[in-house]
Protein backbone atom coordinates (compact mmCIF):
# COMPACT_ATOMS: atom_id res chain seq x y z
CA UNK A 1 0.00 0.00 0.00
CA UNK A 2 2.87 2.34 0.81
CA UNK A 3 4.27 1.92 -2.69
CA UNK A 4 0.89 2.84 -4.18
CA UNK A 5 0.71 6.05 -2.17
CA UNK A 6 4.26 6.97 -3.18
CA UNK A 7 3.39 6.34 -6.83
CA UNK A 8 0.25 8.49 -6.61
CA UNK A 9 2.23 11.30 -4.98
CA UNK A 10 4.93 11.06 -7.63
CA UNK A 11 2.34 11.21 -10.43
CA UNK A 12 0.50 14.15 -8.85
CA UNK A 13 3.67 16.22 -8.42
CA UNK A 14 4.59 16.35 -12.15
CA UNK A 15 1.00 17.28 -12.99
CA UNK A 16 1.10 20.23 -10.58
CA UNK A 17 4.51 21.25 -11.89
CA UNK A 18 3.19 20.94 -15.43
CA UNK A 19 0.26 23.26 -14.74
CA UNK A 20 2.52 25.79 -13.03
CA UNK A 21 4.98 25.68 -15.92
CA UNK A 22 2.12 26.12 -18.38
CA UNK A 23 0.83 29.18 -16.48
CA UNK A 24 4.32 30.68 -16.46
CA UNK A 25 4.63 30.14 -20.20
CA UNK A 26 1.21 31.72 -20.80
CA UNK A 27 2.25 34.73 -18.72
CA UNK A 28 5.55 35.13 -20.60
CA UNK A 29 3.89 34.97 -24.01
CA UNK A 30 1.07 37.32 -22.96
CA UNK A 31 3.40 39.82 -21.28
CA UNK A 32 5.60 39.91 -24.39
CA UNK A 33 2.54 40.68 -26.53
CA UNK A 34 0.90 43.10 -24.09
CA UNK A 35 3.16 44.94 -21.63
CA UNK A 36 0.16 46.08 -19.58
CA UNK A 37 -0.53 42.51 -18.40
CA UNK A 38 1.74 42.59 -15.33
CA UNK A 39 0.68 46.07 -14.15
CA UNK A 40 -2.99 45.10 -14.41
CA UNK A 41 -2.43 41.84 -12.54
CA UNK A 42 -0.47 43.55 -9.77
CA UNK A 43 -3.03 46.36 -9.56
CA UNK A 44 -5.92 43.92 -9.18
CA UNK A 45 -4.01 41.90 -6.59
CA UNK A 46 -3.10 44.91 -4.44
CA UNK A 47 -6.52 46.56 -4.83
CA UNK A 48 -8.28 43.42 -3.58
CA UNK A 49 -6.09 43.27 -0.48
CA UNK A 50 -6.52 46.98 0.33
CA UNK A 51 -10.30 47.06 -0.20
CA UNK A 52 -11.03 43.86 1.74
CA UNK A 53 -8.69 44.85 4.55
CA UNK A 54 -10.47 48.18 4.97
CA UNK A 55 -13.89 46.52 4.84
CA UNK A 56 -12.80 43.89 7.35
CA UNK A 57 -11.55 46.59 9.71
CA UNK A 58 -14.75 48.66 9.43
CA UNK A 59 -17.23 45.76 9.61
CA UNK A 60 -15.52 43.12 11.74
CA UNK A 61 -12.91 45.18 13.50
CA UNK A 62 -10.20 42.75 12.31
CA UNK A 63 -7.41 43.43 9.84
CA UNK A 64 -5.86 39.99 9.39
CA UNK A 65 -9.10 38.43 8.18
CA UNK A 66 -9.31 41.02 5.41
CA UNK A 67 -5.67 40.48 4.45
CA UNK A 68 -6.05 36.72 4.08
CA UNK A 69 -9.31 37.10 2.16
CA UNK A 70 -7.75 39.81 0.03
CA UNK A 71 -4.84 37.53 -0.89
CA UNK A 72 -7.22 34.85 -2.13
CA UNK A 73 -9.51 37.26 -4.01
CA UNK A 74 -6.52 39.18 -5.38
CA UNK A 75 -4.98 36.00 -6.76
CA UNK A 76 -8.23 35.06 -8.47
CA UNK A 77 -8.56 38.56 -9.92
CA UNK A 78 -4.98 38.44 -11.24
CA UNK A 79 -5.58 35.03 -12.86
CA UNK A 80 -8.81 36.31 -14.43
CA UNK A 81 -6.98 39.27 -15.95
CA UNK A 82 -4.21 36.98 -17.23
CA UNK A 83 -6.77 34.73 -18.89
CA UNK A 84 -8.50 37.64 -20.61
CA UNK A 85 -5.22 39.21 -21.70
CA UNK A 86 -3.94 35.85 -22.99
CA UNK A 87 -7.11 35.32 -25.00
CA UNK A 88 -6.91 38.81 -26.50
CA UNK A 89 -3.21 38.38 -27.36
CA UNK A 90 -3.90 35.01 -28.97
CA UNK A 91 -6.64 36.43 -31.18
CA UNK A 92 -4.42 39.35 -32.18
CA UNK A 93 -1.70 36.92 -33.30
CA UNK A 94 -3.98 34.89 -35.57
CA UNK A 95 -5.93 37.89 -36.84
CA UNK A 96 -6.00 37.95 -40.62
CA UNK A 97 -4.88 34.35 -40.99
CA UNK A 98 -6.90 31.87 -42.99
CA UNK A 99 -9.22 29.92 -40.70
CA UNK A 100 -8.88 32.35 -37.78
CA UNK A 101 -12.70 32.70 -37.35
CA UNK A 102 -12.99 28.92 -36.97
CA UNK A 103 -10.43 28.96 -34.14
CA UNK A 104 -12.44 31.69 -32.44
CA UNK A 105 -15.69 29.76 -32.85
CA UNK A 106 -14.13 26.58 -31.48
CA UNK A 107 -13.03 28.45 -28.35
CA UNK A 108 -16.70 28.69 -27.29
CA UNK A 109 -17.06 26.14 -24.52
CA UNK A 110 -20.68 25.15 -24.98
CA UNK A 111 -23.94 26.06 -26.68
CA UNK A 112 -22.79 25.75 -30.29
CA UNK A 113 -22.14 22.84 -32.61
CA UNK A 114 -19.29 24.13 -34.78
CA UNK A 115 -18.44 22.46 -38.08
CA UNK A 116 -14.77 21.39 -38.13
CA UNK A 117 -14.37 22.22 -41.81
CA UNK A 118 -15.27 25.25 -43.93
CA UNK A 119 -18.65 24.81 -45.60
CA UNK A 120 -17.78 27.04 -48.56
CA UNK A 121 -14.46 28.00 -50.12
CA UNK A 122 -13.41 30.15 -53.07
CA UNK A 123 -10.64 28.34 -55.02
CA UNK A 124 -8.97 31.57 -56.15
CA UNK A 125 -9.02 33.83 -53.13
CA UNK A 126 -9.03 30.95 -50.61
CA UNK A 127 -11.79 32.76 -48.70
CA UNK A 128 -13.89 30.45 -46.54
CA UNK A 129 -17.27 30.32 -44.82
CA UNK A 130 -17.77 28.55 -41.48
CA UNK A 131 -20.96 27.31 -39.90
CA UNK A 132 -22.32 26.56 -36.44
CA UNK A 133 -25.73 25.66 -35.06
CA UNK A 134 -27.25 26.04 -31.62
CA UNK A 135 -30.30 27.20 -29.74
CA UNK A 136 -29.93 30.64 -31.33
CA UNK A 137 -30.29 29.06 -34.78
CA UNK A 138 -27.68 28.75 -37.50
CA UNK A 139 -24.64 31.01 -37.77
CA UNK A 140 -22.66 31.52 -40.97
CA UNK A 141 -19.33 33.30 -40.56
CA UNK A 142 -17.35 34.95 -43.35
CA UNK A 143 -13.64 35.71 -42.95
CA UNK A 144 -14.04 39.26 -44.30
CA UNK A 145 -16.34 41.55 -46.26
CA UNK A 146 -14.71 41.04 -49.66
CA UNK A 147 -16.70 40.28 -52.78
CA UNK A 148 -15.78 36.58 -52.90
CA UNK A 149 -16.69 36.17 -49.24
CA UNK A 150 -20.08 37.80 -49.71
CA UNK A 151 -20.86 35.58 -52.70
CA UNK A 152 -19.96 32.50 -50.67
CA UNK A 153 -22.04 33.76 -47.75
CA UNK A 154 -25.08 34.25 -50.00
CA UNK A 155 -24.57 30.81 -51.53
CA UNK A 156 -24.39 29.06 -48.14
CA UNK A 157 -27.37 31.05 -46.83
CA UNK A 158 -29.52 29.76 -49.72
CA UNK A 159 -28.19 26.26 -49.18
CA UNK A 160 -29.00 26.23 -45.47
CA UNK A 161 -32.48 27.69 -45.92
CA UNK A 162 -33.18 25.10 -48.57
CA UNK A 163 -32.31 22.19 -46.29
CA UNK A 164 -34.38 23.79 -43.53
CA UNK A 165 -37.32 24.02 -45.93
CA UNK A 166 -37.54 27.80 -45.32
CA UNK A 167 -38.81 27.15 -41.80
CA UNK A 168 -38.69 30.11 -39.35
CA UNK A 169 -35.29 29.10 -37.99
CA UNK A 170 -32.93 32.06 -37.55
CA UNK A 171 -29.96 32.07 -39.92
CA UNK A 172 -27.42 34.64 -38.72
CA UNK A 173 -24.75 36.04 -41.00
CA UNK A 174 -21.55 37.34 -39.40
CA UNK A 175 -18.73 39.08 -41.20
CA UNK A 176 -15.44 39.17 -39.30
CA UNK A 177 -13.55 42.45 -39.46
CA UNK A 178 -13.14 45.89 -37.95
CA UNK A 179 -15.40 47.78 -40.32
CA UNK A 180 -19.00 48.92 -40.02
CA UNK A 181 -21.48 46.07 -39.43
CA UNK A 182 -18.55 43.70 -38.94
CA UNK A 183 -17.55 41.76 -35.82
CA UNK A 184 -13.92 41.91 -34.61
CA UNK A 185 -12.29 38.50 -34.35
CA UNK A 186 -11.72 38.69 -30.59
CA UNK A 187 -15.38 39.56 -30.00
CA UNK A 188 -16.79 36.73 -32.14
CA UNK A 189 -17.07 34.14 -29.30
CA UNK A 190 -18.80 36.54 -26.90
CA UNK A 191 -21.07 37.83 -29.68
CA UNK A 192 -22.25 34.31 -30.48
CA UNK A 193 -22.62 33.41 -26.80
CA UNK A 194 -24.93 36.39 -26.19
CA UNK A 195 -27.26 35.58 -29.11
CA UNK A 196 -30.90 35.20 -28.13
CA UNK A 197 -31.98 31.57 -27.84
CA UNK A 198 -35.04 30.90 -29.97
CA UNK A 199 -34.97 27.09 -30.21
CA UNK A 200 -35.42 24.33 -27.65
CA UNK A 201 -32.67 21.76 -27.13
CA UNK A 202 -34.61 19.20 -29.15
CA UNK A 203 -35.21 21.66 -31.99
CA UNK A 204 -31.54 22.62 -31.98
CA UNK A 205 -30.48 18.98 -32.14
CA UNK A 206 -32.87 18.39 -35.05
CA UNK A 207 -31.38 21.35 -36.95
CA UNK A 208 -27.86 20.03 -36.37
CA UNK A 209 -28.84 16.62 -37.77
CA UNK A 210 -30.38 18.16 -40.87
CA UNK A 211 -27.33 20.31 -41.49
CA UNK A 212 -25.07 17.29 -41.04
CA UNK A 213 -26.84 15.69 -43.98
CA UNK A 214 -25.51 18.41 -46.27
CA UNK A 215 -22.66 17.23 -48.46
CA UNK A 216 -19.84 19.78 -48.07
CA UNK A 217 -19.74 21.50 -51.46
CA UNK A 218 -16.37 22.93 -50.47
CA UNK A 219 -14.70 19.71 -51.63
CA UNK A 220 -15.56 20.39 -55.24
CA UNK A 221 -14.21 23.92 -55.02
CA UNK A 222 -10.84 23.09 -53.44
CA UNK A 223 -7.86 23.30 -55.81
CA UNK A 224 -6.09 20.05 -56.69
CA UNK A 225 -3.52 19.04 -54.12
CA UNK A 226 -5.32 20.66 -51.17
CA UNK A 227 -7.07 18.55 -48.57
CA UNK A 228 -10.15 20.35 -47.23
CA UNK A 229 -10.10 18.18 -44.10
CA UNK A 230 -6.87 19.94 -43.16
CA UNK A 231 -8.42 23.37 -43.51
CA UNK A 232 -9.58 23.55 -39.94
CA UNK A 233 -8.38 26.96 -38.91
CA UNK A 234 -5.80 27.74 -36.27
CA UNK A 235 -5.72 25.35 -33.32
CA UNK A 236 -5.73 26.53 -29.71
CA UNK A 237 -2.09 25.48 -29.30
CA UNK A 238 -1.18 27.40 -32.43
CA UNK A 239 -2.97 30.44 -31.04
CA UNK A 240 -0.67 30.41 -28.02
CA UNK A 241 2.40 29.84 -30.22
CA UNK A 242 1.51 32.81 -32.38
CA UNK A 243 -0.60 31.12 -35.04
CA UNK A 244 2.33 29.32 -36.68
Amino acid sequence: MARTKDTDTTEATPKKQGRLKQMVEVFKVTQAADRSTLPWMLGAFVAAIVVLTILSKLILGMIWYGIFLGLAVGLLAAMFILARKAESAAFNRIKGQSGAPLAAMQSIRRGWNVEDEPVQMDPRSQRMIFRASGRAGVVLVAEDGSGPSMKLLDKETRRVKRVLNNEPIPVHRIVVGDGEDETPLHKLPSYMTRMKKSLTKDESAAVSRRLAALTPSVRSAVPKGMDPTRTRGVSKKAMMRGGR
Side-chain angles (χ1 to χ4, degrees):
M1 296 299 294
R3 292 183 179 179
T4 303
K5 291 182 179 179
D6 291 342
T7 302
D8 293 341
T9 303
T10 303
E11 291 177 353
T13 301
K15 288 182 180 180
K16 291 181 180 179
Q17 292 176 346
R19 293 193 189 98
L20 181 60
K21 183 178 180 180
Q22 186 179 23
M23 290 180 63
V24 172
E25 289 299 319
V26 170
F27 170 76
K28 289 180 179 179
V29 172
T30 306
Q31 177 64 15
D34 186 351
R35 294 293 180 180
S36 68
T37 301
L38 181 59
W40 272 101
M41 291 177 65
L42 290 176
F45 184 73
V46 173
I49 295 175
V50 172
V51 171
L52 289 174
T53 299
I54 294 175
L55 290 176
S56 179
K57 175 64 176 177
L58 294 176
I59 298 174
L60 303 176
M62 296 185 294
I63 294 179
W64 291 108
Y65 181 79
I67 292 177
F68 287 130
L69 185 59
L71 287 171
V73 174
L75 183 60
L76 289 175
M79 291 300 98
F80 175 78
I81 289 176
L82 175 60
R84 294 300 298 271
K85 289 282 188 178
E87 183 181 54
S88 178
F91 283 134
N92 285 335
R93 284 194 296 273
I94 67 172
K95 183 178 180 180
Q97 295 188 31
S98 180
L102 178 58
M105 295 165 69
Q106 290 177 333
S107 70
I108 303 175
R109 295 183 179 180
R110 60 178 181 272
W112 288 98
N113 179 28
V114 181
E115 296 288 340
D116 288 334
E117 301 176 17
V119 291
Q120 294 288 343
M121 181 175 180
D122 181 64
R124 291 186 177 180
S125 65
Q126 302 293 300
R127 293 292 187 268
M128 293 179 284
I129 301 297
F130 304 100
R131 188 179 68 214
S133 61
R135 293 189 60 188
V138 180
V139 165
L140 303 177
V141 181
E143 292 188 301
D144 55 31
S146 64
S149 291
M150 292 299 97
K151 289 181 180 179
L152 291 175
L153 191 58
D154 291 338
K155 181 179 179 180
E156 184 62 20
T157 300
R158 292 192 298 268
R159 191 163 168 256
V160 168
K161 289 184 176 180
R162 189 162 54 247
V163 77
L164 296 177
N165 294 324
N166 292 316
E167 295 178 12
I169 297 173
V171 178
H172 308 276
R173 295 156 52 103
I174 301 177
V175 178
V176 174
D178 299 319
E180 186 177 357
D181 297 328
E182 295 181 345
T183 303
L185 179 65
H186 69 280
K187 292 184 178 180
L188 179 59
S190 60
Y191 180 82
M192 291 178 59
T193 302
R194 293 196 305 269
M195 282 183 171
K196 183 179 178 181
K197 297 178 176 61
S198 56
L199 304 177
T200 65
K201 290 183 178 180
D202 291 339
E203 290 172 339
S204 175
V207 169
S208 295
R209 288 193 296 269
R210 292 167 71 176
L211 291 176
L214 281 173
T215 302
S217 63
V218 65
R219 296 180 182 275
S220 61
V222 175
K224 293 182 178 180
M226 178 179 290
D227 183 359
T229 62
R230 297 183 180 275
T231 312
R232 299 178 183 272
V234 186
S235 67
K236 293 182 181 179
K237 290 184 178 180
M239 287 173 66
M240 296 311 303
R241 293 196 302 267
R244 295 187 295 272

